[in-house]
Amino acid sequence: MLGEVALDAIRDRVLVLRRMPQLSELEYDDLALMAEHAHLVHARAGTVLLDEGSTLERIFMLVEGEAEVSKNGVTSKITGPRLVGMLELAAGVEVAPRMVLTQKSLLLELPAEIVAAMLYESPAIARSIVRLTARNLMQTRSHLPVPLDTPEPVEGAWTDRPLTTV
């Protein structure tokens, strides 16, 4: 763990963000923009950070530690570095998954409204988030490529709602 010292300066938060492999390629200006709005949180095991079905008001970057994230009855254990709530935000879904820490953790907390603005205003941040999401999906679906005898996917219906980042 990075220690229990207070990391209050933007420079310290930039250094924490830089440690995350998903964000390490961002320019300093983009990292500073994220760090300006980020809040470092040290939390104990058992802390509930997000309740499933609540309004997605915060995005969490699990820097170090472990948590359980559940949605629609499916629970998965995650370890840092990981983002929680980003996929929902990028897809325009404003409902949070449940996130409970299973061990002492270090997190960065960002307001969802600010992150949504960053996704649309900074191509570099959006590209990094898409890369992170794709990497996490590939890890989740580790048995790719799909076997040849797998049935064809069913095409979805086009909706009239506005397009999202996803």
Side-chain angles (χ1 to χ4, degrees):
M1 182 99 39
L2 289 177
E4 296 301 321
V5 296
L7 298 170
D8 292 333
I10 289 179
R11 178 184 56 89
D12 296 326
R13 293 185 299 247
V14 167
L15 292 173
V16 170
L17 288 168
R18 178 76 66 197
R19 287 186 59 222
M20 298 187 72
Q22 303 87 351
L23 304 175
S24 62
E25 296 176 18
L26 289 179
E27 295 293 326
Y28 179 81
D29 290 343
D30 292 321
L31 287 172
L33 177 64
M34 293 181 86
E36 181 180 344
H37 299 286
H39 175 69
L40 274 167
V41 177
H42 290 274
R44 298 182 201 160
T47 304
V48 178
L49 297 171
L50 296 170
D51 283 320
E52 186 174 1
S54 64
T55 304
L56 186 61
E57 296 175 353
R58 300 171 291 162
I59 303 297
F60 287 97
M61 294 181 183
L62 180 63
V63 179
E64 294 177 352
E66 186 177 88
E68 283 187 354
V69 178
S70 57
K71 188 168 187 176
N72 301 328
V74 178
T75 301
S76 60
K77 189 167 280 208
I78 62 168
T79 58
R82 284 290 288 269
L83 286 167
V84 177
M86 183 60 70
L87 185 59
E88 289 82 3
L89 182 69
V93 177
E94 297 179 3
V95 178
R98 179 172 172 79
M99 180 180 182
V100 180
L101 297 177
T102 55
Q103 63 180 234
K104 186 176 178 182
S105 301
L106 174 66
L107 305 108
L108 275 172
E109 176 184 356
L110 286 153
E113 182 179 337
I114 299 296
V115 176
M118 287 180 199
L119 285 172
Y120 287 101
E121 293 175 12
S122 173
I125 291 174
R127 186 174 47 251
S128 289
I129 299 306
V130 169
R131 185 180 320 119
L132 163 69
T133 304
R135 183 179 300 139
N136 289 341
L137 289 172
M138 291 294 288
Q139 288 173 349
T140 302
R141 178 92 192 241
S142 61
H143 52 78
L144 286 177
V146 176
L148 294 175
D149 60 346
T150 302
E152 287 291 317
V154 178
E155 289 186 24
W158 183 262
T159 62
D160 293 329
R161 73 178 216 182
L163 295 177
T164 64
T165 304
V166 174

